[in-house]
Amino acid sequence: MTAPDRAAPAVARTPEELARIRAGLGRTALVPTMGALHTGHRGLIAAARGRADAVVVSVFVNPLQFGPGEDFERYPRAFEDDLRACAEEGVDVVYAPGVEAMYPGEQIVTVDPGPLGDVLEGAFRPGHFRGVLTVVAKLFHMVRPDVAVFGQKDAQQLAAIRRMVRDLAFGVTVVGVPTVRDSDGLATSSRNVYLSGAERTSALALSRALLAGADASVTGPVGILGAAREVLDAAAAGPVPVEPDYLALVDAHTFAEVPPDHRGEAVLLVAARVGSTRLIDNVPLTL
Ligand code: PAF
């Protein structure tokens, strides 16, 4: 079924163009993205629409959050498709600045993510969360949203943004939206387009490992990690190996690993490489 035609969103390319458009909007929700929009993004936009008079989607592949040797150059860029998706989803404004509009000079002042920036994703991608928080802070200043919507798939990013909003008093309501999965269980991600058919089959081990962990939740942290690890170990020995960076059960706010006797809320996280693609996934659990 095709979505009904909607009016094309207004497009702003610079902070000045955006400010002119923003002046005419009421209560506004922002969905920050790096483009290559998929069904997960459509879910974020739907959540935004229900919470404000106007929805702004930003499309900007942020160089500051990519490390040397990461996929900044090859990150998928599909602006015409993104515009079509935004029109179908009833987005009011697409903010798509160039690098020079976001970073007109050297970015000397940046946002320090604190200890959350050094563990798990932060340990494997040094400087990543500093880059994310800096661009999100700039987008908040430019768009001045009442609400900002992010996916729970990037759970550590969401926690870092919530902490920045609280510690730096941004006055923006942050909404987290549950992960959208394809019918085979793979979490939607712009990076999934990198996967060959065989790699995609192997990559399903990530969601299977999380499911195995969730099924073992009555056994506590040791049992959860053991069940998930078993799935990952089998996938590591497969014909297209899954190479895990980490598997961890953490506190949902601090991202510190929970002790073996932990009870209550936690998040089971996995990051792994399949071929040249690095994927992350997670599931919230109650122990
Ligand atoms: O999640 C993303 O797509 C990016 O990290 C974000 C939040 C748009 C910042 O560049």
Side-chain angles (χ1 to χ4, degrees), residues 32-34 60 62 65 132 135-136 150 154 157 161:
T33 82
M34 298 204 299
F60 179 64
N62 173 33
Q65 70 188 73
V132 169
V135 82
V136 170
F150 298 87
D154 295 299
Q157 166 176 284
I161 290 168

Side-chain angles (χ1 to χ4, degrees), residues 53-66:
D53 305 323
V55 175
V56 177
V57 170
S58 62
V59 174
F60 179 64
V61 185
N62 173 33
L64 214 60
Q65 70 188 73
F66 289 80

Side-chain angles (χ1 to χ4, degrees), residues 43-166:
L44 303 184
I45 294 168
R49 256 204 333 262
R51 290 175 162 84
D53 305 323
V55 175
V56 177
V57 170
S58 62
V59 174
F60 179 64
V61 185
N62 173 33
L64 214 60
Q65 70 188 73
F66 289 80
E70 291 188 353
D71 59 344
F72 174 68
E73 304 296 342
R74 77 161 177 154
Y75 195 86
R77 289 158 172 90
F79 190 61
E80 290 309 314
D81 292 344
D82 291 345
L83 268 187
R84 234 183 330 272
C86 286
E88 287 168 6
E89 297 302 325
V91 169
D92 300 278
V93 182
V94 172
Y95 180 41
V99 173
E100 55 302 328
M102 284 305 283
Y103 299 116
E106 188 188 349
Q107 187 74 30
I108 291 172
V109 175
T110 56
V111 181
D112 181 349
L116 198 61
D118 295 330
V119 297
L120 300 163
E121 276 306 280
F124 280 89
R125 305 184 66 187
H128 172 65
F129 288 116
R130 179 181 296 277
V132 169
L133 293 190
T134 301
V135 82
V136 170
K138 292 184 88 157
L139 289 168
F140 282 180
H141 290 313
M142 291 172 180
V143 178
R144 293 185 288 105
D146 298 281
V147 177
V149 181
F150 298 87
Q152 284 172 5
K153 173 173 169 288
D154 295 299
Q156 194 175 354
Q157 166 176 284
L158 178 58
I161 290 168
R162 285 192 195 283
R163 192 69 206 218
M164 174 184 79
V165 164
R166 194 181 100 179

Side-chain angles (χ1 to χ4, degrees), residues 74 186 192-206 240-242 274-277 279:
R74 77 161 177 154
L186 190 69
N192 290 352
V193 298
Y194 300 153
L195 297 168
S196 69
E199 287 171 346
R200 189 185 163 102
T201 303
S202 288
L204 297 180
L206 273 74
V240 180
V242 172
V274 184
S276 61
T277 306
L279 298 169

